[in-house]
Amino acid sequence: MDRFFSQLQNPPDSKSKSSTVTSQTSASTAESAVNKDDTTPKQLPKGVVLGKDGKPCRSCTSVSAWLALAKQKETETNSPSSSSPSSPLSPSPSTTATASTSTSTPLSIPSDCPPDVEALGRSTWTLLHSMSASYPSQPTQTQQTEMSQFLSLFSRLYPCWVCAEDFQTWMGREKPRLGSRAELGDWMCRAHNEVNRKLGKVEFDCRLWEERWRGGWKDGRCG
């Protein structure tokens, strides 16, 4: 899946951290600039993904692109006489999904703000891998059915609609393997690596998924 909980998704073993260059005060101002009205600029900043309602989708867009949108809206509000292209931008899902991962230096927003696509993705992968790690080694038919139903609903209800559709496509091509914990854990790891490949990130060695998400590393660093 192209963004699959976004760009951002770090690989399962990634230790990288996003740099932060704005204060909470300036970020809060930008936040207000985006939310103060429903006006959508005709020329969107690179990486902003539109929702199915035609408005910018926060859970589909990276924080840097979202704050760039806030800054643009504020500038347009303060300069009503400025001219800009009159035709609306209508980016395709595949184009915007890729673009949102290549915006300039990431900015920060306060931790109590709604998540962007990257924060949402990191949290989601933690949940999915942890669910796989706690799945029974010998699941009953009922447990397999429940997991199948969960994954199906999850792929339709995920807040980032581009990511959701990509996950549906992945499951259509690679059916969930629910016969055991080992099968599900490996399937989930490969799903995550599909995203890593598309985003140009390092793939995780799926032979180590259980150490990473269930038992902890053998060197004892996890206690």
Side-chain angles (χ1 to χ4, degrees):
M1 149 169 82
D2 202 21
R3 292 249 315 279
F4 231 72
F5 333 138
S6 132
Q7 70 51 34
L8 65 322
Q9 298 23 336
N10 290 328
D13 64 342
S14 174
K15 298 179 181 178
S16 61
K17 297 182 180 178
S18 299
S19 60
T20 59
V21 295
T22 58
S23 64
Q24 287 196 352
T25 300
S26 61
S28 297
T29 300
E31 169 106 355
S32 299
V34 173
N35 295 323
K36 65 183 178 182
D37 59 50
D38 293 329
T39 302
T40 299
K42 294 179 180 180
Q43 186 69 31
L44 298 176
K46 183 178 181 180
V48 173
V49 179
L50 296 180
K52 293 188 176 182
D53 59 0
K55 298 178 182 179
C57 171
R58 185 181 193 120
S59 59
C60 309
T61 302
S62 68
V63 63
S64 54
W66 190 260
L67 293 181
L69 174 62
K71 182 176 181 180
Q72 177 179 311
K73 292 185 71 175
E74 184 175 19
T75 299
E76 291 181 357
T77 298
N78 295 334
S79 304
S81 61
S82 62
S83 59
S84 61
S86 57
S87 58
L89 178 66
S90 302
S92 65
S94 60
T95 299
T96 54
T98 301
S100 68
T101 70
S102 57
T103 50
S104 57
T105 304
L107 303 177
S108 66
I109 58 175
S111 60
D112 59 350
C113 291
D116 72 316
V117 67
E118 301 175 6
L120 182 63
R122 288 190 292 270
S123 298
T124 298
W125 280 120
T126 296
L127 171 65
L128 293 176
H129 286 301
S130 297
M131 290 182 67
S132 299
S134 64
Y135 189 69
S137 57
Q138 295 182 315
T140 64
Q141 187 58 53
T142 297
Q143 290 169 323
Q144 294 182 54
T145 298
E146 289 174 343
M147 180 58 76
S148 177
Q149 292 174 339
F150 166 78
L151 292 172
S152 178
L153 289 172
F154 167 81
S155 71
R156 285 181 279 166
L157 299 177
Y158 192 73
C160 169
W161 70 271
V162 180
C163 313
E165 290 187 353
D166 279 345
F167 195 46
Q168 292 173 39
T169 299
W170 163 260
M171 290 200 302
R173 186 171 68 251
E174 299 285 343
K175 299 295 183 183
R177 296 166 54 201
L178 308 173
S180 68
R181 177 191 302 143
E183 286 186 357
L184 179 58
D186 178 74
W187 180 87
M188 196 67 72
C189 180
R190 290 188 297 105
H192 198 163
N193 275 341
E194 175 77 0
V195 180
N196 292 333
R197 280 191 295 274
K198 291 183 178 181
L199 298 177
K201 295 190 173 186
V202 177
E203 294 181 41
F204 183 75
D205 185 347
C206 289
R207 294 173 299 179
L208 304 176
W209 80 265
E210 196 161 5
E211 279 189 63
R212 171 64 180 88
W213 295 104
R214 180 175 172 80
W217 298 110
K218 291 181 179 179
D219 61 10
R221 79 182 90 161
C222 301

